[in-house]
Amino acid sequence: GENVEQHPSTLSVQEGDSAVIKCTYSDSASNYFPWYKQELGKRPQLIIDIRSNVGEKKDQRIAVTLNKTAKHFSLHITETQPEDSAVYFCAASKDFGNEKLTFGTGTRLTIIP
Amino acid sequence: NAGVTQTPKFRILKIGQSMTLQCAQDMNHNYMYWYRQDPGMGLKLIYYSVGAGITDKGEVPNGYNVSRSTTEDFPLRLELAAPSQTSVYFCASRPNSGQGDPYEQYFGPGTRLTVT
């Protein structure tokens, strides 16, 4: 089955700096890669996703890049703010209709004011 | 819309007891999921359903059962609870094609379960 590895497990950055979280996946058939943000004690929420027909997607200060050849994808947060502090999870799955979303183990991001 | 709701919020079980975690959604979503989240770990899929009357196993189904008699409800049953089932349980649903982004999963607030 699919295996998703996520690094780093913890990340601290100064407010205003950029943060990058990286994930690798094992199944070359995976083609959907979402990122979820989970604040302390809260439910996970989708912040951005990418499908295998594109290499990059941006939404304001958040961007995701995908390298299908190397089987890795990354989350980039620019101009970080205190409210970006949370745990971020990457995930991967195969074609739409395959319901088995495999999650990474998470990255705890702390923004230092 | 209330979205995805879960009850109870917290529960402590003794080893060998049974319980049902309730999940409901009022968005008319066909697709529903149960995940568990162990401390410091990602979410693992327990069971999922693609519509009323249809369920299938996920990555970690042992020790759990589900049913889906209506579109709205997707209860998770724990039989003979074990300490290894101590976790936070999240229910989720996602839109059907034509309802919105069919890829986004909407999560409930979670149930924190402790088995001692």
Side-chain angles (χ1 to χ4, degrees), chain A residues 18-88:
Chain A
S18 296
V20 181
I21 302 170
K22 299 181 179 182
C23 288
T24 60
Y25 60 98
S26 61
D27 192 338
S28 57
S30 290
N31 59 11
Y32 172 62
F33 308 94
W35 286 89
Y36 282 81
K37 175 183 181 182
Q38 186 177 27
E39 296 176 2
L40 189 62
K42 301 288 182 64
R43 69 193 80 186
Q45 291 191 296
L46 180 71
I47 55 171
I48 195 167
D49 58 12
I50 191 167
R51 287 149 219 177
S52 62
N53 57 340
V54 297
E56 184 176 3
K57 182 177 178 180
K58 286 183 181 178
D59 183 2
Q60 300 182 347
R61 296 186 297 108
I62 293 172
V64 57
T65 58
L66 171 64
N67 183 327
K68 286 218 74 178
T69 303
K71 290 190 284 188
H72 68 72
F73 56 112
S74 300
L75 177 71
H76 304 253
I77 306 174
T78 59
E79 300 173 13
T80 53
Q81 300 169 4
E83 54 264 36
D84 295 329
S85 293
V87 179
Y88 292 81

Side-chain angles (χ1 to χ4, degrees), chain B residues 7-52:
Chain B
T7 56
K9 286 187 169 55
F10 305 93
R11 183 73 185 267
I12 298 174
L13 279 182
K14 294 189 186 305
I15 295 171
Q17 288 184 320
S18 299
M19 76 164 294
T20 299
L21 281 65
Q22 300 292 344
C23 175
Q25 50 88 15
D26 60 356
M27 298 173 282
N28 199 33
H29 290 173
N30 285 336
Y31 301 89
M32 296 187 73
Y33 311 83
W34 273 107
Y35 294 93
R36 59 176 287 172
Q37 184 177 33
D38 298 332
M41 301 296 289
L43 294 95
K44 292 190 183 295
L45 182 64
I46 305 171
Y47 271 95
Y48 64 95
S49 170
V50 300

Side-chain angles (χ1 to χ4, degrees), chain B residues 92-115:
Chain B
S93 71
R94 70 166 173 84
N96 313 325
S97 295
Q99 273 188 315
D101 182 353
Y103 286 84
E104 179 171 0
Q105 294 192 16
Y106 294 87
F107 285 82
T111 294
R112 185 175 296 275
L113 176 68
T114 302
V115 182

